[in-house]
């Protein structure tokens, strides 16, 4: 049942988005908790602060991380930072499929091409476009790729392209090529490429934070190795949390 499988795929995609939000919330909580705890320990000199009442009688420190306003400020800043990194990710859905194909050394097939293999490919693409009710996309050939493969690129039907390797043109029969092209049209029709780009944007935030943490720790290590004064315990903690 094709439609049942399609509905299940949509539900899985939705669950992935929900799971991502849960992961961001949990990681933000753990990171904020660790930063606030370390901040308090650093401010108190590494030990428990002593408090005295009016009569000079000592009473215990009642500090808790969850009772600190600073903890909730940090807890708010971290997901906002992740959201900003996601929003300004260099992975953009506005990049046309043609740019992707050209970055893979794809060569655009001219509509008036007289090469038999290219002519057959264009005819198959036109047939599948007609069958699916989609515009006929530009077609690219990866002439340096002798393996059998194909791809669809582009965030929408208006900028989608189809790429086919040279091996697919040489070794596939017309019926086999129709199956491959129909599969790529399904990616365009269901906007699979846009979904993948969205997830790549989300992942960029995590990757950026991890690399930023790595850079911070390396820079502190070089300062320590150079014999400089090391007052960056707090910075090192932030770098370590970002890396993890």
């Amino acid at each position: 049942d094709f439609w049942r499988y399609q509905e299940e795929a949509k539900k899985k995609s939705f669950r992935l988005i929900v799971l991502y939000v849960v992961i961001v919330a949990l990681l933000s909580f753990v990171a904020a908790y660790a930063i606030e705890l370390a901040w308090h320990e650093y401010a108190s000199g590494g030990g428990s602060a002593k408090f005295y009442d009016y009569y000079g009688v000592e009473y215990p420190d009642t500090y808790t991380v969850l009772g600190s306003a600073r903890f909730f400020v940090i807890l708010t800043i971290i997901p906002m930072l992740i959201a900003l990194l996601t929003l300004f990710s260099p992975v953009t859905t506005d990049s046309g499929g043609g740019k992707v194909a050209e970055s893979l050394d794809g060569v655009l097939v001219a509509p008036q091409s007289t090469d038999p293999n290219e002519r057959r490919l264009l005819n198959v693409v036109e047939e599948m476009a007609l069958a699916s009710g989609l515009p006929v996309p530009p077609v690219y050939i990866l002439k340096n790729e002798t393996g059998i493969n194909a791809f669809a690129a582009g965030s929408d039907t208006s900028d989608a392209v189809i790429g086919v390797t040279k091996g697919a043109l040489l070794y596939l029969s017309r019926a086999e090529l129709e199956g491959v092209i129909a599969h790529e049209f399904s990616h365009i029709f269901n906007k699979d490429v846009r979904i993948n780009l969205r997830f790549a944007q989300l992942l960029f935030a995590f990757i950026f934070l991890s690399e930023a943490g790595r850079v911070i720790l390396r820079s502190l290590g070089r300062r320590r190795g150079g014999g400089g004064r090391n007052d960056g315990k707090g910075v090192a903690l932030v770098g370590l949390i970002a890396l993890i």
Side-chain angles (χ1 to χ4, degrees):
D1 185 351
F2 172 80
W3 301 111
R4 180 170 61 84
Y5 280 114
Q6 188 180 62
E7 286 302 314
E8 289 178 359
K10 290 180 180 179
K11 290 178 181 177
K12 288 179 180 178
S13 297
F14 178 76
R15 284 197 291 267
L16 281 174
I17 296 172
V18 172
L19 180 60
Y20 177 85
V21 173
V22 171
I23 289 173
V24 169
L26 288 175
L27 290 178
S28 299
F29 180 87
V30 171
Y33 194 98
I35 292 174
E36 168 57 28
L37 188 62
W39 195 326
H40 176 73
E41 289 294 319
Y42 183 78
S44 62
S48 298
K50 294 183 178 181
F51 299 88
Y52 299 90
D53 62 14
Y54 178 78
Y55 300 101
V57 178
E58 182 181 342
Y59 62 90
D61 181 7
T62 57
Y63 167 82
T64 60
V65 172
L66 298 181
S68 170
R70 185 171 53 208
F71 164 76
F72 290 99
V73 172
I74 299 172
L75 185 59
T76 303
I77 290 174
I78 293 175
M80 287 178 61
L81 177 61
I82 293 175
L84 286 173
L85 289 172
T86 300
L87 184 63
F88 294 103
S89 166
V91 182
T92 172
T93 56
D94 295 330
S95 297
K99 293 181 181 179
V100 177
E102 290 168 4
S103 70
L104 298 172
D105 295 328
V107 178
L108 180 65
V109 181
Q112 65 273 18
S113 173
T114 56
D115 179 273
N117 287 327
E118 293 181 359
R119 191 72 257 161
R120 182 183 64 162
L121 173 62
L122 290 175
N123 290 340
V124 169
V125 170
E126 290 173 3
E127 291 171 7
M128 293 303 140
L130 182 62
S132 61
L134 295 174
V136 179
V139 182
Y140 286 79
I141 297 178
L142 278 61
K143 295 190 174 183
N144 296 325
E145 299 290 340
T146 56
I148 298 175
N149 213 333
F151 66 90
S155 60
D156 205 347
T157 55
S158 60
D159 64 1
V161 304
I162 286 181
V164 178
T165 62
K166 180 180 179 180
L169 286 185
L170 295 177
Y171 305 127
L172 295 182
S173 67
R174 182 184 175 89
E176 291 168 337
L177 188 61
E178 287 175 350
V180 170
I181 299 303
H183 176 84
E184 299 309 329
F185 265 93
S186 72
H187 286 310
I188 298 174
F189 184 83
N190 292 300
K191 296 182 172 60
D192 295 335
V193 176
R194 176 178 285 273
I195 292 173
N196 288 337
L197 286 171
R198 292 296 187 196
F199 277 113
Q201 287 178 312
L202 298 176
L203 287 173
F204 169 77
F206 282 135
I207 294 172
F208 182 92
L209 289 174
S210 178
E211 290 303 311
R214 194 187 309 277
V215 170
I216 290 172
L217 293 176
R218 284 179 178 174
S219 64
L220 290 175
R222 285 194 294 269
R223 285 173 53 191
R224 189 182 301 112
R229 185 181 176 188
N230 180 24
D231 295 328
K233 291 182 179 180
V235 177
L237 175 69
V238 173
L240 181 62
I241 291 173
L243 176 62
I244 293 173

